[in-house]
Amino acid sequence: FQLYGYCYQDSNDIPDTLTTITELGSPLEMIQLLQTSWEDRFRICLSLVRLLHYLAHSPLGSVTLLDFRPRQFVIVDGELKVTDLDDASIEESSCTSNSDCFMEFPARNFTLPCSVEGRCESMNEKRNLYNAYRFFFTYLLPHSAPSSLRPLLDKIVNATGNCSKHGNAKYLSPSPLVNSEFTQKCMKSANTKYRRVPEAFIPDENYRCWPSYHHKGCLLSVFDVSEAIEICDSYSQCKAFVLTNQTTWTGRQLVFFKMASNHLMPDPDKITYVKVTD
């Protein structure tokens, strides 16, 4: 969380008072997040992975958030940030045997190894990972995920949910997902023909689809024209689509899908593709 400034003063009423000025974020509403596109939810999980990695390797050592719940986070420019560090701890639990390294959660429990130094191995990191699984990953990652990513996403969800040897912050690298088929070209061939109309836009003829970046129309992200054609072919009401000059945070292009092309208007920043009918 970005700290813009702070003020320390010793008040007669409240000694050792520290006031901080931080960036403004939006409260985290899980139901609202579930209604957003998978790409936006993936971005939130990606920022959470970066946070988990930092907490596991911070300059102070491994840090755990004892109150790891959605209300402790906010959304800033589409990314997740923690706001409350009152319950952060760098203390690793001491132990004399494995039974002392017992982690209890509402759904399941775990017992971690007791190291030769008398400390529970990776307890702070494992606690953060499992809480990230039960509060975030299990809801935000699998739901409506692209089919090409589901095997990899299942591994991530299972590893964090089981606290296995791969349930570790260093194994949750974002690179395989960012560079995955989701952001690469769709190679499926299209049988339907489309007529390309440059510098044109269809202002109306909207229909709703889910998930969409526009609440009154069908605005989705694609890698290229081939993927847009495949999407349009998958909707019976889709008769045309419009390429915009806007992209998402991963570089995918935003496209409006339309149910007719009766009224075309000039627009130098857009390209319209109209389905050719026999």
Side-chain angles (χ1 to χ4, degrees), residues 62-63 89-94 118-125:
S62 182
V63 180
S89 173
I90 60 173
E91 296 295 328
E92 292 277 15
S93 300
S94 58
R119 295 289 178 181
C120 296
E121 291 184 4
S122 305
M123 178 169 276
N124 286 348
E125 183 178 359

Side-chain angles (χ1 to χ4, degrees), residues 51-123:
L51 173 63
L52 292 172
H53 187 272
Y54 178 81
L55 292 176
H57 305 90
S58 81
L60 299 176
S62 182
V63 180
T64 187
L65 301 179
L66 298 175
D67 192 14
F68 197 116
R69 286 183 285 182
R71 69 182 184 185
Q72 305 294 86
F73 299 85
V74 294
I75 302 296
V76 180
D77 295 330
E79 297 197 4
L80 190 73
K81 297 195 177 184
V82 63
T83 61
D84 192 348
L85 295 175
D86 291 345
D87 296 306
S89 173
I90 60 173
E91 296 295 328
E92 292 277 15
S93 300
S94 58
C95 59
T96 57
S97 66
N98 291 351
S99 60
D100 295 327
C101 302
F102 184 72
M103 290 197 305
E104 185 175 7
F105 296 96
R108 62 182 306 175
N109 305 319
F110 302 96
T111 300
L112 301 179
C114 179
S115 69
V116 293
E117 293 83 10
R119 295 289 178 181
C120 296
E121 291 184 4
S122 305
M123 178 169 276

Side-chain angles (χ1 to χ4, degrees), residues 156-221:
I156 292 175
V157 173
N158 291 335
T160 53
N162 295 327
C163 276
S164 66
K165 65 178 181 179
H166 294 296
N168 186 292
K170 71 178 181 179
Y171 288 100
L172 299 182
S173 171
S175 298
L177 290 175
V178 173
N179 299 322
S180 65
E181 294 178 28
F182 179 65
T183 57
Q184 294 175 8
K185 184 175 182 179
C186 176
M187 299 302 294
K188 293 182 179 179
S189 59
N191 295 322
T192 309
K193 292 183 179 181
Y194 286 78
R195 177 169 57 91
R196 184 178 184 270
V197 185
E199 299 185 356
F201 177 66
I202 304 173
D204 301 312
E205 307 295 350
N206 291 314
Y207 66 90
R208 293 183 179 181
C209 67
W210 187 91
S212 173
Y213 287 91
H214 194 281
H215 67 282
K216 290 185 178 180
C218 187
L219 180 63
L220 303 174
S221 69

Side-chain angles (χ1 to χ4, degrees), residues 38-62:
W38 183 87
E39 193 172 358
D40 286 343
R41 286 183 273 120
F42 166 55
R43 185 180 186 183
I44 290 173
C45 291
L46 195 60
S47 59
L48 180 55
V49 168
R50 295 190 182 105
L51 173 63
L52 292 172
H53 187 272
Y54 178 81
L55 292 176
H57 305 90
S58 81
L60 299 176
S62 182

